[in-house]
Amino acid sequence: MDSRQMEQLYQWRIQVKGRVQGVGFRPFVFQLAERLAIHGEVSNGMQGVKILAIGTLRQLEAFETAIRQEPPRLARIYQLLRLDEQTISMEEAARYPDFTIVKSDDIGTPDIFIPVDTAVCDDCLREMNDPHDRRYHYPFINCTQCGPRYTIIHDLPYDRPLTSMVDFPMCSACEGEYMDPHNRRHHAQPIACEACGPTLEFYWVDHKHQGWVKAEKEDPLSLTKRLLKEGKILAIKGLGGYHLACDAFSEETIRLLREGKHRLHKPFAVMMKDMETVRRYCEVTPAEEKVLRGIEAPITILTIKEEAKELFPPSLAPYMNSLGVMLPYTPLHHLLFDDELTVLVMTSGNESGLPISSTFTEAMEALIPLVDGILTHDREILQKIDDSVVRLVDKQLVMIRRSRGYAPDPIFVPENADGIIAYGGNQKNVFAIGKGEMAFLGGHIGDIDSQEMLIHFIHSKERLQRLMGVTPQLLVADLHPEYATTRQALKDAELFHLPLIQVQHHHAHMVSIMAEHQLNAPALALVLDGTGWGDDGTIWGMEVLYGDARDSRRMGHLAATPLPGGEKAIREPWRNAVGMVLQLLGHEGLQRLEQLPAMEPYLQQIPILQHMVERRINTPMAGTCGRLFDAVSALLGLCTKAEYEGEAAVQLSELVKEDGIGEPYSFILEADPHNPGVIQINHGALLHELLRDIEKGVDSASVALNFHETVVQMGLALLEHGRKQLSEKEASAVLFSGGSMVNPYLRRRFLHCSEERGWQVYMPEQVPANDGGLALGQLLIAAAQRARESTLKR
Ligand code: ZN
Ligand code: ZN
Ligand code: FE
């Protein structure tokens, strides 16, 4: 044994967690080991990839660094743990004369890994643009390192006959590449070419007869491009469903699209030709560029350049200073762009409130009234999945919608969650399935406000359950009795005789952050959210909680104010403003409110609301950050009626510039009259001072900035209060969660202020802070409860 004879040998056991299975990780480790003359073995397990490595200290360190720094394109390492390290003798080392890949079947662990869909790689793009390549301009080019996966899988193991590629027998050229271990398409299951693979088709929509006609004369791609340039709206089949697409510079077309989709304000995401185009219109940091060009290719929220604002038509993203941008991620997308077509609106192909269309029939039914034509193909989509949405705050990735490209990657949790099914919330729904110490989150389903959405939820959940081979043992849902997901969970529990746990909304928000950071010890959490069912009959949404997955207690919160009209007040923030002002500033406050120009259209309704509030008719009490944002947005006249939940808050936060720090308004901490030992924030002074600023004519951007800083100071005050009640050790970790934490100002300031105070801070990262992360928290809470019950029984 060469030079090793001189040096002490070590044996390390390394565990790598993340997206490391089914992405060529073991062969990669094998090659590294060969390069660095490491002996040992690598295997797949329920806890990720396990490596046993023997070598000198120098060799092992180089090995570990290389694993971190040069993993395969599709791999994502979330955690690399050195489980143990020890010196070993030459004799012991001799048991591993070389480095081997242990097959999964040999150790009895099933490969339960489901690969994710990823953006086309540079090698494939190069071939696609090479006139001499046999796949020149072929829109379905892919390889082992890129292309469709989760969306085309019918069953596991991931193998061509079990995907929607089963309909396309390989030609001999493709088969040759598929079989050749040295080819970059060796075992690329969706491998295809012009001769054997899927093909494009274009259908004209015949509005008069509510039907469609296949375009025979013109090539589908050139036809599509011509029509887009002419200002037409088309449906285009993507990876997880159809997009509605049109030229982003055509004001008239976008207006038509908005009318058709009944979506007048909500900003549309765009797809830009390349990075050069993105840089022309948006501010882009290197970190943002990396995400845009990443294999997940999510919609990334970028700041629009000041000088570029006038270039876009006003209805593309009204009142926004930012824009959701993505780069082309399928080969077909790349082929759509040229010098004249550089930015396309790409919004998911559905009617408002319905799931994204993924089959030709669905697309035709849902989209006929909206589009002039449809560019489609014959590779079936077996799982609908929406585009993911992210934003970067201080170079940190903030997940807003975790879907295509990320789902269903596992998240490792600190408890056995096997057989637990978490139903999530009702808005921005995502479900989670437990397998061992892993949580598999499905893609973004959306707001479950229709029968169609509920069916989409049920199908997606059952499909993932089946793929994972999980038999449900325990169900978990929100406390809210009116959530469609809660009702479904109750039904399923009864039907299948399964236990059901219902979890308080903000406890789940808090624990989802604990889950993703694998925290086991109790911590202090600030949850800033829209609305959630409290356990005292009021609506919560601005809480400081202390606890863990087993239990939590509420130590403080925002004072509850009336929400006249309940749900209606969420859509009509002016109602909420009236309730809040009346409660905190009384009749005098109401008179001041009536003087505001923004309230003019509602003057006749205000006395009715006043009556409702006084008599508590259809007027729940709510203390939530989201509704506080809504009320302020209404007082400022930004948004008195919202088209979608959170619109008012979005408008308010869009006024706040990247850097600046506001001057907080006043507020007081007082005892909660209904809950002994609990404090609450009385925000009467805030409203008073804010009204005064509006009356004085202070500009809205300054008021918005100062209001944002007030929310930061309120949150910190709640946390400081919590910390005072706890010992140093109990209060060591502080975490932040809830829908308002996607607000960049709040996130940046909370992180900064917590670090200044020397707190150990945990922020939502892999999983959305909003209700898209709820299911993960529910899953861990159920797991912890089950674990405790089984210890009690013993
Ligand atoms: Zn490729
Ligand atoms: Zn072929
Ligand atoms: Fe929530």
Side-chain angles (χ1 to χ4, degrees), residues 89-106:
S89 66
M90 290 297 296
E91 293 71 47
E92 287 172 298
R95 283 191 292 138
Y96 294 94
D98 51 13
F99 196 90
T100 52
I101 297 178
V102 183
K103 280 213 178 111
S104 298
D105 336 338
D106 297 350

Side-chain angles (χ1 to χ4, degrees), residues 401-536:
R401 183 201 283 173
R402 185 182 185 273
S403 206
R404 175 186 52 75
Y406 300 97
D409 256 0
I411 289 168
F412 293 84
V413 294
E415 192 87 67
N416 176 15
D418 211 44
I420 301 176
I421 315 289
Y423 282 59
N426 211 69
Q427 307 321 118
K428 302 186 174 70
N429 179 275
V430 168
F431 59 82
I433 293 171
K435 175 118 187 171
E437 289 182 7
M438 285 181 283
F440 289 86
L441 274 65
H444 164 86
I445 303 279
D447 300 352
I448 310 194
D449 294 330
S450 64
Q451 192 58 26
E452 289 88 346
M453 288 302 270
L454 183 63
I455 291 169
H456 174 32
F457 164 82
I458 295 171
H459 281 179
S460 303
K461 181 175 71 62
E462 283 175 356
R463 180 170 181 274
L464 191 56
Q465 262 168 230
R466 181 176 57 76
L467 285 179
M468 308 298 316
V470 167
T471 314
Q473 296 163 18
L474 173 60
L475 310 183
V476 48
D478 197 272
L479 256 190
H480 202 308
E482 297 301 322
Y483 278 6
T485 43
T486 305
R487 288 199 299 253
Q488 188 61 35
L490 283 161
K491 241 190 235 171
D492 291 346
E494 198 179 293
L495 191 63
F496 301 109
H497 307 286
L498 290 169
L500 168 69
I501 294 173
Q502 280 180 266
V503 172
Q504 201 279 320
H505 192 90
H506 303 103
H507 187 204
H509 268 307
M510 160 184 178
V511 175
S512 88
I513 312 307
M514 306 188 84
E516 73 155 293
H517 292 284
Q518 305 220 36
L519 295 180
N520 249 333
L524 202 57
L526 181 69
V527 185
L528 302 180
D529 202 28
T531 51
W533 193 266
D535 56 19
D536 60 354

